[in-house]
Amino acid sequence: MTDATASPGYDADVIVVGAGPIGLTTGCALRHHGVSCLLLERRQAEKAYSRANNLWARPQELLASIGLRDALAADAYAIHTINFFVNGTPTAPIPIADVASPYPEVLYSAQNVIERTLAEAFAARGGRLERGGTVVDVVPDEAGVTVILARGEGAPEERRRCRYLVAADGARSTIRPLLGLDFEPEGLQGCMNRQVDARLSWRRSPEPDQLWFFYYERGFAGILPVSGGYHRLFFLADDTGVPDRDPTLDEMQAVAREVTGDETLTLSDPQWLTHSRFAYGVSPGYARGRVVLAGDAGHLSLPIGGQGMNAGLHDAVEIAWRLAMTLRGQAAPVVLDSYDGERGGEHARLSAQQARGFRWTVYRGPVADTVLGLAAKALPKLGSLLQGTDDMQQMGVAYPGSLLNEDRLSGLTQRLRPGPMPGERAPDAQVTAGGRTTTLFPFLYNPDGWTTGWALLCFDGRSPAPGASLLEAVEAVAPWPWVRPRLVLAGPMVEGGDVPVLSDMDGRAHGAYGLEGRPALVLIRPDGHIAFRGDADRTGHLQAYCLRVFGAAPGDAGPVSGRTEPALAT
């Protein structure tokens, strides 16, 4: 399935409802995998102003895996530092880019810029986008889903047919309640957010490479760059005495001067002045049969750390490779079934975390403010304690209870050096391949040109003995050609035919996976999360896992593309 042609009787194999950042990313990811895709969007054009605007490290890794990250980075500011102030006292800056990722710097842009870039990529990949229709109903059946559209009073209803439907139609989703997956949001009382996107002149650095956050009496504020030389200023605070309307530019400038302590701070040329109150909640499920939820369609997110859109980007990448494998017949039902528990569980965890952080930020009270003020003077790194960078960067997103997890490693060595477990992100590490220094990541994502490829890392454990076992493992997965083996050798050389050999003489890769002295097999999913771990000399466990997750061997199925680039329509 390498072109945009749908299966007979369908308008597209997958229809995505909603062409915001998450819907567009889902569409791009599906086209990356060669799946025919139609996007339906009620709006006639992209939003003219920005809402979500930042990309953290882990979502950047996922976007890179589907060929989108660099295009988005080209029109974004790279952030390396967060500055924190508590009641006017500076704390030690947080080096936000100090994370173990190829993309440690946070990217700040604007939602309209992000949407435009993604829409161009989707069109270039052969995707189809229809605007101006409102989805009024979806009718799933055993063979697919019928989407019913309305285009205005008096216009006849239209129908679109697909094999699977992704609802990415935002927090006010019309599809979520149709599936019985609606939820009652929990409101946060007594607080209001006032916000402006404007040009900023002040006594601090004008360069768009830093963020500033201010804890002040009864409130929390932030100043961060958006595209085109603009900055966003938000003030999340007790609403006592605050007019329940959009603020004026003069009002925003006055509160900004007071909070930042900079009497020269000047705002001009506002693009967007708004106010809002907050509520949060998560859908009780992220899938019903052939219909799945993605992004805000499944959750109402709080503005803590800019996590909402980034969490939705995980959804987009996660559902796309599952649908692609399912449509190709490469996956047993468990692959698609695992999306609901993985992403629904992660959104529930994130929502609870955000609610705790939000309540601490806004409902601190005078006693907490006093303690914070004293702590800021005694603990110069207080900012990093208030907002941990690893968590903000979403590097810790994991699926410990996934239906796809299987761990066959045990014993004292594993208890002493457990390494990353199934469900966790597979770490990167320096290796040597073909006489050149490189890292594991190029051998994990889109392995050998298979966009839905699973990488099998065969570690020798720095032992001279396991060569035969590693080659046996390579042979064991041959019936599933999308499982792409790699020999990770810290000991003697093993010739594996056309299997890439990654030399790890310094033990960096073995150490990253907790496998020093332990010959082992680690199977990594298309999204870069570990699925299976097992002893190198017990390949039967690996074969049984492949049968459970992929089903019977397909025979002579071929790769989507012989290249590392996405398989696109021509």
Side-chain angles (χ1 to χ4, degrees), residues 282-434:
V282 178
S283 174
Y286 266 65
R288 283 291 184 271
R290 291 178 175 268
V291 184
V292 299
L293 306 181
D296 288 351
H299 72 270
L300 189 57
S301 182
L302 291 170
I304 296 293
Q307 301 291 300
M309 180 181 72
N310 284 268
L313 294 172
H314 285 258
D315 297 345
V317 173
E318 294 292 353
I319 193 55
W321 68 262
R322 286 171 165 86
L323 287 173
M325 292 194 73
T326 300
L327 288 165
R328 290 193 183 113
Q330 296 175 345
V334 68
V335 169
L336 191 54
D337 291 345
S338 65
Y339 174 80
D340 188 356
E342 286 189 11
R343 295 308 301 156
E346 170 58 20
H347 280 294
R349 183 203 65 79
L350 179 60
S351 182
Q353 174 186 294
Q354 286 184 308
R356 289 192 299 271
F358 194 100
R359 293 181 187 281
W360 160 248
T361 298
V362 179
Y363 301 135
R364 298 190 311 273
V367 174
D369 268 338
T370 300
V371 172
L372 275 178
L374 295 172
K377 298 175 181 178
L379 300 172
K381 294 186 177 181
L382 179 63
S384 62
L385 299 177
L386 293 172
Q387 202 157 357
T389 58
D390 276 0
D391 190 55
M392 289 171 64
Q393 293 271 42
Q394 296 194 348
M395 298 289 285
V397 172
Y399 310 113
S402 173
L403 298 174
L404 299 180
N405 292 352
E406 189 170 321
D407 195 5
R408 292 286 185 162
L409 288 184
S410 60
L412 179 61
T413 301
Q414 285 308 116
R415 289 196 292 271
L416 294 176
R417 291 195 304 272
M421 305 287 287
E424 296 181 17
R425 166 187 174 270
D428 201 6
Q430 183 177 303
V431 292
T432 302

Side-chain angles (χ1 to χ4, degrees), residues 25-107:
T25 301
T26 305
C28 286
L30 288 164
R31 292 302 303 130
H32 170 76
H33 297 302
V35 176
S36 69
C37 179
L38 169 65
L39 259 64
L40 302 177
E41 171 55 51
R42 177 179 54 82
R43 291 179 290 138
Q44 291 287 0
E46 66 196 26
K47 290 183 178 178
Y49 52 85
S50 173
R51 290 184 182 270
N53 67 327
N54 67 311
L55 298 172
W56 295 109
R58 179 56 180 155
Q60 287 185 62
E61 292 178 358
L62 295 173
L63 290 168
S65 76
I66 57 172
L68 294 178
R69 186 264 172 193
D70 289 351
L72 292 167
D75 205 356
Y77 298 125
I79 307 299
H80 56 73
T81 302
I82 297 182
N83 304 286
F84 269 95
F85 293 78
V86 178
N87 296 331
T89 300
T91 69
I94 300 174
I96 190 70
D98 187 19
V99 293
S101 170
Y103 312 107
E105 293 183 322
V106 186
L107 299 181

Side-chain angles (χ1 to χ4, degrees), residues 182-203:
D182 212 1
F183 58 89
E184 188 65 35
E186 181 175 345
L188 294 167
Q189 306 302 316
C191 61
M192 182 192 300
N193 183 55
R194 293 185 292 171
Q195 186 168 297
V196 60
D197 286 2
R199 296 196 180 277
L200 169 68
S201 171
W202 63 341
R203 291 165 59 190

Side-chain angles (χ1 to χ4, degrees), residues 24 86 96 111 121 153 161 187 276 285 298 317 334 400 418 425 480 488 523 528 548:
L24 285 164
V86 178
I96 190 70
Q111 182 171 333
E153 188 173 349
R161 181 78 171 153
S276 55
V317 173
V334 68
R425 166 187 174 270
W480 300 277
V488 186
L523 184 61
R548 178 174 74 85

Side-chain angles (χ1 to χ4, degrees), residues 77 195-202 205-206 208 223-233 249-250 252-253 256-257 264-273:
Y77 298 125
Q195 186 168 297
V196 60
D197 286 2
R199 296 196 180 277
L200 169 68
S201 171
W202 63 341
S205 172
I223 298 179
L224 34 124
V226 290
S227 67
Y230 277 74
H231 278 77
R232 171 167 301 168
L233 288 77
L249 187 64
D250 288 343
M252 294 297 283
Q253 180 172 284
R257 288 180 172 181
T264 71
L265 185 150
T266 302
L267 300 176
S268 61
D269 302 319
Q271 288 182 317
W272 187 33
L273 286 153

